[in-house]
Amino acid sequence: MLQSLKQKTLVGKLWAIIVLAVAAIFIGVVFGPGIAKMIAGPTHFTPLDDHDVLSLQGQYLEADIDTLIDYYAETVRSESGKRDEVSAREYIMPINTPDATVYIGVEVPKPKIDDAEAVVADTERLIDDEDGSYEWDGSYVSVRGTLQPMDDETRQLWEDYFIDAGFSYDDIGLFDDCTALPLVLTDGEIDGQDTFVYGFMGVIGVLLVVLAIWFVIHSLTGGFQKQIRNYIKASDDPQATEQALDRFYEDTMQEGKVRMSRSWLMYDKGGNSWVLAGDDVVWAYQYTVRHKAYGILTVNKELMVRVFGAKEKRACHDIYVRNEDEAQEILQQMARTYPDALIGYDQDIERKYHANPAAFHQAVITARHAPAAPAQPAEAQAGVTGEPESKPLYT
C-alpha cells in the first residue's frame, strides 16, 4: 500500500518537479555564465601594468584605479518637479600595453563619483607637475565588473570627446593600432547585468533545484504519507496494522479519493493522504472556506468534509471536494458506514467534542445503542407541540 501511495504521489508531483526543473534550466541558460563568473570571482588587474586590453573583453575584473583623465558621459535621472540627479558617470582611464598607452572607459555609480572626481583632480596635478614635486595623495576608486564594448549611444559620446581632443577616427576602434578603445568597465555589473540580479537568480536557481530534489526524495521515501506511517507506528502491533491496511487498500473500492469500510477510512491524495480506524471516526461535517475580495465579495470558496477522531494528537482531517453534492454524498456514506459517528455541525457539538473527544465519542455511542423508550398512549401525546429533533447533515 505504502509503495503504491509513493508511486502515485510521485506521479502527482511530477508536474511540479518538471516546472521546477524547467525554471532552473532557464535560469542556468540565461544567467548561468554570469553566475559562474561571480562565483569564480574577479581577476585583479593594475591599469598601469602592461596588458593586452582586447583580450580582457568579457572578463570579470577588479581594480583600484588611481589615474583617471576626465569624464566623457554621465547618466542623469529626471523626475517631474525635482532637480536632475546624476546617477552614474563614465571616466577615461589610461592602460599601459607593451607598445603604448591606450584608453578605455570606466563607469561608476553615484556613491563612487566623489572618489572618482578626487582621482581626476590628483591626475591633473600629476599632468601639470613641472618641477617634480608631485606626490600621490592616496586617492583611488575601486571598481568590479566586466569589460564590454560600449553601446551605440555611449560610443558616440566617446568618439565626440576624442575627436574634440584632436584624435582622428583611425585612433578610435577595437583594433591593435587604436588608442581610444570603445570598451567600458562598469562597476557592479557582469555582462551588462547588475551583480545583485545574478546573485538573486543564483539563489533562486539553487532553491528550485533543491525543491525539485526534495519533491522526488520526499515522494519516494513516503514523506507525503507521514500521517499514515505515524498511525501505523503508533499502533500496538505496527506490522499487523500495516498488513491490515494493505488488505483494506487492495479490497476496498476507491470512490473519488476516498476508501471507506467499517474497518478504515482513507483519503488518498498525495501529500494530503491520511487514514483513520473505523471505530475512531467520531464526528464529520461539511466545511466551507470563502475567499473574499476586500472582505466583501466572495471570489472563491473551498469545500471539504472535515473528519474528527479521538485517538490521534492531531485528530482533525480534511477531505477536499468539488461541490456540496459530493460533500453530502460522502457524509451520507459515512453515516451508513460508521453508525457511531455523529454527522453534522452545531456549536454545542463542537464545544462538547473539544472538551473531551473520547468522552464525547463514548456518549454518542451510548446514546445510539440505548434501548428505545416505550411508546406513549395517544392520550398522553395529546397537547404535545414542537418539531422533531433534526441533526443537520451540513452547514
Side-chain angles (χ1 to χ4, degrees), residues 243-256:
Q243 291 174 352
L245 276 171
D246 285 339
R247 290 192 296 270
F248 159 76
Y249 189 82
E250 295 296 331
D251 298 341
T252 307
M253 181 73 67
Q254 180 169 315
E255 297 184 16

Side-chain angles (χ1 to χ4, degrees), residues 298-317:
T298 299
V299 295
N300 187 29
K301 66 179 181 179
E302 290 181 286
L303 295 173
M304 62 196 78
V305 173
R306 185 150 280 185
V307 183
F308 293 83
K311 298 177 182 178
E312 285 185 291
K313 186 175 181 180
R314 182 188 180 279
C316 176
H317 304 285

Side-chain angles (χ1 to χ4, degrees), residues 228-379:
I228 297 177
R229 291 188 294 108
N230 289 343
Y231 193 92
I232 294 172
K233 185 178 179 181
S235 64
D236 295 333
D237 188 343
Q239 185 176 359
T241 300
E242 185 171 357
Q243 291 174 352
L245 276 171
D246 285 339
R247 290 192 296 270
F248 159 76
Y249 189 82
E250 295 296 331
D251 298 341
T252 307
M253 181 73 67
Q254 180 169 315
E255 297 184 16
K257 296 188 180 298
V258 179
R259 297 176 189 266
M260 203 179 301
S261 75
R262 291 297 297 271
S263 300
W264 306 97
L265 169 63
M266 177 180 286
Y267 179 53
D268 179 6
K269 189 186 178 183
N272 293 321
S273 299
W274 53 265
V275 67
L276 277 179
D279 60 4
D280 194 29
V281 180
V282 176
W283 175 35
Y285 62 90
Q286 177 182 315
Y287 185 73
T288 304
V289 178
R290 289 180 171 82
H291 302 281
K292 296 184 176 183
Y294 309 106
I296 301 173
L297 180 65
T298 299
V299 295
N300 187 29
K301 66 179 181 179
E302 290 181 286
L303 295 173
M304 62 196 78
V305 173
R306 185 150 280 185
V307 183
F308 293 83
K311 298 177 182 178
E312 285 185 291
K313 186 175 181 180
R314 182 188 180 279
C316 176
H317 304 285
D318 293 325
I319 300 172
Y320 289 87
V321 296
R322 294 183 298 270
N323 50 53
E324 290 191 4
D325 290 341
E326 185 180 357
Q328 292 308 303
E329 184 178 341
I330 292 173
L331 288 169
Q332 290 168 10
Q333 186 179 355
M334 290 179 66
R336 294 190 297 268
T337 308
Y338 310 112
D340 293 334
L342 188 61
I343 308 299
Y345 175 86
D346 65 39
Q347 291 182 344
D348 188 54
I349 294 174
E350 183 176 26
R351 178 182 59 80
K352 291 177 180 179
Y353 171 83
H354 288 297
N356 190 326
F360 172 82
H361 193 201
Q362 187 58 50
V364 172
I365 294 173
T366 300
R368 291 282 171 83
H369 294 275
Q376 295 182 355
E379 309 87 65

Side-chain angles (χ1 to χ4, degrees), residues 14 30 81 109 111 113 126 135 138 144 173-174 190 207 283 306 319 323 339 358 375 383:
L14 196 58
V30 176
I113 288 179
L126 171 63
E135 290 185 6
R144 177 182 291 189
L174 295 175
I190 298 177
L207 290 177
W283 175 35
R306 185 150 280 185
I319 300 172
N323 50 53

